Every structure is written in structure tokens, then in C-alpha cells.
Amino acid sequence: GQNIDQPTEMTATEGAIVQINCTYQTSGFNGLFWYQQHAGEAPTFLSYNVLDGLEEKGRFSSFLSRSKGYSYLLLKELQMKDSASYLCAVKTAGNKLTFGGGTRVLVKP
Amino acid sequence: EAGVTQFPSHSVIEKGQTVTLRCDPISGHDNLYWYRRVMGKEIKFLLHFVKESKQDESGMPNNRFLAERTGGTYSTLKVQPAELEDSGVYFCASSQVWREGPDNEQFFGPGTRLTVL
């Protein structure tokens, strides 16, 4: 079966750093994606990891350890607009994405 | 460049009725996907088109769901007859190429919120 776990909710303060963890057990692995989704809107692509290590893109970074089935998304210098749900998704067979339940991040002033 | 668009944004129907959802992918994207998120659950894969062909329909819940992509452009997802458990948000996504890497990013539409009463 496919299992992707991430925390349901996290709260952080504006300007701080938040790390969202994602663990996965999937039959097949062709890469791990992080998406951001604001309420009522489309999920938008943030990052992609297929090899172990850290990918940095501005204020957002994502890390992958394939041997541990583990990834995290790091959000630095948090802004109010970063309040959203963050979705961890593994590309399994073919091009299919298998999603975790999403982590709702609330940024407080 | 226009993103993935979906119509309608909301649909409220009664149990037993038929509903058809439409997805227009990004122009030139051969790959088109349907996903669904039911209340309180994660987004789940339904099926994948490559042009007009169904590449993978392993996520389709049952034969009340019919997806088509005639001509390899837009796609429709018909639910007939609708049941209460079909309520949720139906997302469409498209991607450009069939290969590994960020170029294979799936671009999502805003979804259609379906409520079956």
C-alpha cells in the first residue's frame, strides 16, 4: 500500500522558520514534490527532489533521504502570505502522484 | 499563458442525477490527470490521459465515473448516477512531457467542488 504522513497543522510566527516533515512508504518512487495550496485555489508547485540532499529555492528548501523515506520542507523568513496548506506528494508508478493529507500552516504576526 | 481551467467551480446536485465536469489543460500539454479530494481525506489519483488515450485509470472508484478526452485537448469527467459519497473537490492537472525531473511538474487547476445531496 501507499502511506504518506505529514503533520496536520503547524503554527509559527512571522519572520520565523518552520519545518514540515513528510515520511513515506510507497511501492515505487520517482521523485517527491511539495505543493502549496491556499484555500479554494489550485495547488501550486514548490519543489521537487529525486536525489538525496537539499534543494534550495529562495525562502523555501526541501530535503530528501530516500533510504529513510523522509523529506522536509523548510520555510524561512515566514510571511503572512505563507499561511496555506503544504502538500507532500510522491510520484509512484508512471506519472501518478500520491499525496499526504497536507499540513496547514498558520503564520501569526 | 493560461493555466489549467475547470468548469464549473461549484456544482450542487441531488443523488441520482448526472454531472459532467470539464477540464482544459495548458495548451500543448499531452498529459492530463484527474484527482479527487473527499472531505477530510488526502487528494487521490483517479486517472491519467496521454493525449486521447487512457494511460492509467487505476484510481477510478467504479463504473459510475466516465472520463473522456476526445481529440486530446479538453477532458470531461461524468458521474452518473451521482451518490452522496461522490461529494468532494475534483482537481485536474496537466504536464508537458513524459520524463523525470521538474519539467514533469503537474500544474493543477482550481478544482470543481461537487456536492451531492
Side-chain angles (χ1 to χ4, degrees), chain A:
Chain A
Q2 318 283 35
N3 195 40
I4 299 178
D5 288 318
Q6 50 182 130
T8 306
E9 194 168 293
M10 302 180 76
T11 302
T13 305
E14 194 175 13
I17 298 173
V18 70
Q19 178 175 315
I20 306 169
N21 296 324
C22 172
T23 57
Y24 64 90
Q25 288 177 300
T26 58
S27 52
F29 180 85
N30 291 322
L32 188 144
F33 291 79
W34 284 95
Y35 282 84
Q36 180 191 60
Q37 186 182 22
H38 286 99
E41 297 183 9
T44 54
F45 170 79
L46 288 178
S47 70
Y48 170 78
N49 295 73
V50 67
L51 300 176
D52 288 355
L54 189 68
E55 293 284 339
E56 296 187 85
K57 195 186 276 189
R59 294 188 300 114
F60 296 170
S61 304
S62 57
F63 171 83
L64 175 67
S65 169
R66 288 173 300 171
S67 62
K68 295 181 179 176
Y70 168 70
S71 173
Y72 68 72
L73 178 70
L74 196 68
L75 285 63
K76 292 178 270 192
E77 300 168 22
L78 278 173
Q79 301 175 8
M80 298 301 291
K81 67 179 182 179
D82 297 330
S83 291
S85 285
Y86 292 84
L87 310 173
C88 173
V90 173
K91 190 162 69 169
T92 53
N95 266 9
K96 181 192 311 188
L97 287 178
T98 300
F99 283 87
T103 299
R104 193 161 54 244
V105 171
L106 177 62
V107 181
K108 293 185 172 178

Side-chain angles (χ1 to χ4, degrees), chain B residues 28-97:
Chain B
H29 281 194
D30 288 341
N31 295 288
L32 186 149
Y33 314 82
W34 283 99
Y35 293 86
R36 175 174 78 167
R37 185 170 201 164
V38 297
M39 182 74 75
K41 301 276 191 177
E42 68 276 15
I43 296 174
K44 283 197 169 174
F45 169 84
L46 295 179
L47 89 159
H48 170 206
F49 284 99
V50 178
K51 297 185 180 178
E52 66 275 8
S53 300
K54 291 176 185 174
Q55 184 70 30
D56 180 354
E57 51 185 330
S58 60
M60 293 290 263
N62 51 61
N63 59 10
R64 294 185 294 102
F65 289 75
L66 175 65
E68 294 181 320
R69 193 183 182 196
T70 308
T73 54
Y74 72 90
S75 174
T76 58
L77 179 65
K78 183 161 71 173
V79 186
Q80 179 183 32
E83 298 289 343
L84 299 179
E85 64 265 24
D86 300 333
S87 295
V89 181
Y90 289 77
F91 291 100
C92 176
S94 70
S95 68
Q96 189 169 20
V97 294

